Amino acid sequence: MLSIRLEKLRCEFGSTVAVDCVDLHIPAGSLYFMLGPSGCGKTTLLRMIAGFQEPTSGQIYFGDRNVTNTPPEKRNVGMVFQGYALWPHLSIFDNVAFGLQVRGVSAAEQVKRVGAALEMVRMGNLAQRKPNQLSGGQQQRVALARAIVFKPEVLLLDEPLSNLDAKLRLQLRGEIKRICAEINLTTVYVTHDQKEALSLADDLVVLRDGRIEQLGDPKQVYQHPRNAFVAEFMGETNLMGGTVKTSNANGCEIETAAGVLRSSCSKTVVGARVALSIRPESLTIVDGPSSIGGVCKSSLYLGEMSQHQIETPAGILKVLEIDPRQNTRVGQELWLHARPESVVVLAEK
């Protein structure tokens, strides 16, 4: 297993800076996610790691080996492309075996390795079919088998599930997690889908305009976003402004238009203007008066939960009610409570 290290990596296309001085360490054996909106630089970073795109400046290391100027075919990297890139005229066996043939692996060894790779992705019984005889999910599995059959040191996945429907994406998430655990490779996975990252990643980095906004494990980034961009990109949230009223080692009190909220954040200065993030699922509807009061303007019943929009003095707040007692709450006056650890202080305004 190899770690991957990017040092001051930069990539320019004319006057456009796609990646701007990125420093990043990807631990050996980890399933590491790069995510962000379109144009944030995540695919350019992946292409530079693969060797398909030359950096303008900076260094790329696989372990202690500097591969910045090493051509793609000598980096021992397996890559799964967004469009699968399977040869339509070749059988599934021959598609997976292609990389082994190029490397001069014997026919007997090809049979052994291709069989093992197809069994790993649960496609062993379809080896003689052509790609156009497979579903999108099956083609994705074949592309993954082709990427791992020659035993690469690094596996790169470029939005591998983006062409699949929602149900199939859910099914294949678990398969990708299982396969990555079995092959025990350093894997870099590019996506714009937050749910994929939260459910699969060991660690992740959120990018914007070619720069790192935040990195960490999924729970840390979701529950403790560094700024409003990360808070909104990683899922729905409620943003509001406030002024720090009290602050000590146990947390702080923040005066907002909706009332005084308590936060467990202790790194605040009394009198400072701050921005707050509260996830919809962290707001609880309570029976008696609490920190935030408002009137329900819309209510969407989804069975296991209801989505409400509550009009408050601080604006419309989104609330997720788990196991709802009623189909709708439209028109009701409601009180909301947020636990201090769920009231995240983002930054001074």
Side-chain angles (χ1 to χ4, degrees), residues 31-340:
L31 178 51
Y32 199 96
F33 271 64
M34 295 181 180
L35 70 161
S38 297
C40 72
K42 56 187 184 295
T43 296
T44 302
L45 272 173
L46 197 75
R47 289 177 58 80
M48 286 193 286
I49 293 172
F52 299 142
Q53 176 63 49
E54 185 178 348
T56 304
S57 60
Q59 306 294 321
I60 303 170
Y61 290 88
F62 286 0
D64 295 327
R65 181 164 57 106
N66 189 328
V67 298
T68 310
N69 299 313
T70 303
E73 66 273 14
K74 294 185 178 180
R75 294 194 186 193
N76 199 21
V77 168
M79 187 158 182
V80 177
F81 298 92
Q82 186 174 344
Y84 313 146
L86 301 178
W87 298 101
H89 62 289
L90 297 180
S91 68
I92 299 311
F93 180 94
D94 289 334
N95 263 283
V96 176
F98 183 79
L100 298 177
Q101 295 168 1
V102 170
R103 290 168 172 80
V105 176
S106 69
E109 183 67 14
Q110 286 180 40
V111 171
K112 179 181 176 182
R113 288 204 201 176
V114 172
L118 287 175
E119 285 300 324
M120 181 172 287
V121 299
R122 298 175 180 170
M123 291 288 292
N125 61 328
L126 301 178
Q128 298 310 313
R129 291 194 182 182
K130 297 288 180 63
N132 63 6
Q133 296 175 298
L134 304 181
S135 68
Q138 289 172 327
Q139 290 183 45
Q140 183 60 54
R141 291 169 187 263
V142 174
L144 186 55
R146 183 183 57 188
I148 63 177
V149 71
F150 62 89
K151 299 180 181 178
E153 294 177 299
V154 172
L155 178 63
L156 306 179
L157 307 175
D158 186 9
E159 305 218 32
L161 306 183
S162 62
N163 293 328
L164 307 178
D165 62 61
K167 185 176 180 180
L168 196 51
R169 284 202 303 270
L170 277 174
Q171 293 174 353
L172 284 183
R173 280 179 199 168
E175 287 297 288
I176 286 177
K177 184 78 170 178
R178 173 187 64 82
I179 292 165
C180 288
E182 286 185 23
I183 59 180
N184 203 24
L185 280 177
T186 305
T187 303
V188 184
Y189 190 125
V190 159
T191 185
H192 62 273
D193 188 318
Q194 301 89 338
K195 297 299 183 185
E196 280 182 29
L198 291 172
S199 61
L200 296 178
D202 295 322
D203 291 290
L204 60 86
V205 59
V206 180
L207 298 158
R208 177 170 60 161
D209 297 333
R211 296 184 179 183
I212 293 174
E213 288 289 329
Q214 188 168 350
L215 47 81
D217 65 68
K219 185 176 180 181
Q220 175 188 8
V221 175
Y222 182 79
Q223 294 188 347
H224 301 285
R226 179 175 296 169
N227 54 39
F229 171 81
V230 175
E232 291 187 299
F233 184 79
M234 292 305 296
E236 285 197 288
T237 195
N238 296 292
L239 298 174
M240 66 175 74
T243 302
V244 178
K245 186 177 177 183
T246 67
S247 182
N248 55 47
N250 297 318
C252 62
E253 291 182 324
I254 299 156
E255 185 79 54
T256 74
V260 176
L261 301 179
R262 285 199 55 80
S263 172
S264 58
C265 179
S266 59
K267 298 178 181 180
T268 54
V269 178
V270 173
R273 286 287 296 170
V274 295
L276 305 178
S277 169
I278 308 173
R279 298 288 184 192
E281 67 272 18
S282 297
L283 285 167
T284 306
I285 298 172
V286 294
D287 293 328
S290 187
S291 304
I292 304 172
V295 177
C296 184
K297 290 299 182 181
S298 71
S299 188
L300 185 61
Y301 179 73
L302 299 173
E304 76 278 9
M305 69 177 71
S306 285
Q307 296 176 341
H308 308 299
Q309 293 201 353
I310 314 297
E311 186 175 50
T312 75
I316 296 290
L317 298 183
K318 293 167 284 189
V319 178
L320 282 184
E321 182 183 7
I322 309 300
D323 191 18
R325 309 174 203 173
Q326 307 168 28
N327 287 359
T328 182
R329 289 184 176 272
V330 173
Q332 294 183 13
E333 293 187 8
L334 300 172
W335 289 99
L336 307 174
H337 172 72
R339 293 174 289 114

